[in-house]
Amino acid sequence: MWDYGLRRRGPLANPGVDIAPHQDTARRWFTLHYGPVPRFRPDRWEFRIFGATALPGKQSFSLDALRALPNSRLAGDLHCVTKMTWPDNDWGGVLMSTLLDMAPPAADVTHLMVWAEYGYSANLRLEDVLDGRAILATHNHGKRLEPGHGFPLRLVVPHLYGYKGPKWVRGIEYMTSDRRGFWEERGFHNLGEVRLEQRYSYQEEPGEGPLP
Ligand SMILES: Nc1nc2c(c(=O)[nH]1)N[C@H]1C(S)=C(S)[C@@H](COP(=O)(O)O)O[C@H]1N2
Ligand SMILES: [Mo]
C-alpha cells in the first residue's frame, strides 16, 4: 500500500507526514466536477492508449480486460485546488505503471494527456504516474465507485491537485512534448503539485508552461 497522505490539522494530523498547505478537511465526500455525470454505455465503452506508443497499432482495452489486470491499492488524500481535502482515501484499481508496462510509451515520451468523457483532459509528466504514484481506480474503500465519483474508472494522483485526476477516464495519449489540459488551459497550474502549492498558472515561471 502506498501512502502519499498530506495532512494539515485536526485529529487526522500526522506529524510524520508532510503537510498540505492551506487545505481544509471536508466533513463528508461530495462530488465536484464540470458538467453533468456521463451515462455509462457498456456497449460503446473502450479505453484507448494512443499517441507515441512503443508498440504499433491500436491499443484498446475493454473494461473487463482492465479489471483483469493485477489490482493494487493506493492510499492518499484527495486535495481539491479550491482548498478542500478529503483525507484518508483508499483507492483500488490498476496502477498506471501496470498499464504502462502493458502498453509502453515510446522512448521519447515525456508527458501524457489523460482523456475523459465529454473531452475533459489533464496533462501529466510521465514521472508523475510511474511506480505507485497514480492509480486508475475502480474502487474507493473497497466499494465500487459511485457514478458521480467516476464510475467505471477514474485516475487518482494523490500528490497532485484533484483536477489532475479525471473521472470517467477513457484513454491516454502519449506525448513527446507538453500540452495543457482542460483546467490547465483555464488558469490552473500546469503541474499542480500539492506540496509546492502549485494552484494557478500565474505562479508558473515565465516560459515554464507550454504555449498553446
Ligand atoms: N471528468 C472530470 N474529472 C474530474 C473533474 C471534472 O470536472 N471532470 N474535476 C476534478 C476535480 S477539480 C476534483 S477536485 C475531483 C473531485 O473528485 P470527486 O468528485 O470524486 O470528489 O475530480 C476531478 N476529476
Ligand atoms: Mo478540484
Side-chain angles (χ1 to χ4, degrees):
M1 189 109 136
W2 302 78
D3 191 347
Y4 284 93
L6 298 160
R7 272 149 217 155
R8 182 178 172 215
R9 61 160 89 120
L12 296 163
N14 178 347
V17 176
D18 270 352
I19 302 285
H22 305 118
Q23 293 292 116
D24 284 314
T25 302
R27 258 185 253 281
R28 55 174 196 90
W29 196 21
F30 50 86
T31 65
L32 216 51
H33 50 262
Y34 181 81
V37 175
R39 193 159 61 89
F40 174 53
R41 293 188 177 85
D43 49 319
R44 292 203 214 156
W45 199 96
E46 60 162 1
F47 187 90
R48 282 216 303 138
I49 297 190
F50 60 103
T53 53
L55 308 171
K58 178 176 159 177
Q59 294 174 60
S60 160
F61 295 80
S62 67
L63 192 53
D64 285 341
L66 281 178
R67 284 175 173 148
L69 293 176
N71 265 247
S72 304
R73 292 175 94 141
L74 189 148
D77 301 336
L78 177 56
H79 302 287
C80 178
V81 70
T82 62
K83 308 200 170 175
M84 192 102 59
T85 289
W86 294 282
D88 299 320
N89 276 285
D90 161 18
W91 304 98
V94 178
L95 287 179
M96 279 288 285
S97 50
T98 304
L99 200 71
L100 263 60
D101 288 344
M102 299 267 315
D108 53 349
V109 166
T110 54
H111 293 82
L112 316 173
M113 192 71 79
V114 178
W115 289 99
E117 302 283 357
Y118 301 143
Y120 184 91
S121 62
N123 57 318
L124 294 150
R125 296 169 294 193
L126 186 57
E127 64 259 34
D128 279 324
V129 302
L130 297 180
D131 305 320
R133 285 192 281 273
I135 193 166
L136 283 167
T138 54
H139 289 75
N140 179 276
H141 290 290
K143 284 197 292 201
R144 207 181 76 171
L145 285 179
E146 299 288 332
H149 289 297
F151 175 83
L153 197 67
R154 78 179 288 172
L155 181 69
V156 179
V157 195
H159 71 287
L160 304 181
Y161 286 117
Y163 63 92
K164 291 289 190 180
K167 303 188 277 192
W168 317 295
V169 195
R170 291 291 302 276
I172 294 170
E173 178 185 356
Y174 290 145
M175 307 194 294
T176 55
S177 61
D178 199 7
R179 234 165 61 215
R180 303 183 82 100
F182 181 85
W183 286 119
E184 295 83 359
E185 277 189 337
R186 288 167 177 79
F188 290 91
H189 200 284
N190 191 48
L191 302 176
E193 202 164 320
V194 175
R195 187 175 54 86
L196 301 176
E197 231 187 316
Q198 294 173 329
R199 295 179 196 272
Y200 310 110
S201 48
Y202 63 71
Q203 296 171 289
E204 293 168 22
E205 296 295 321
E208 186 187 357
L211 292 172

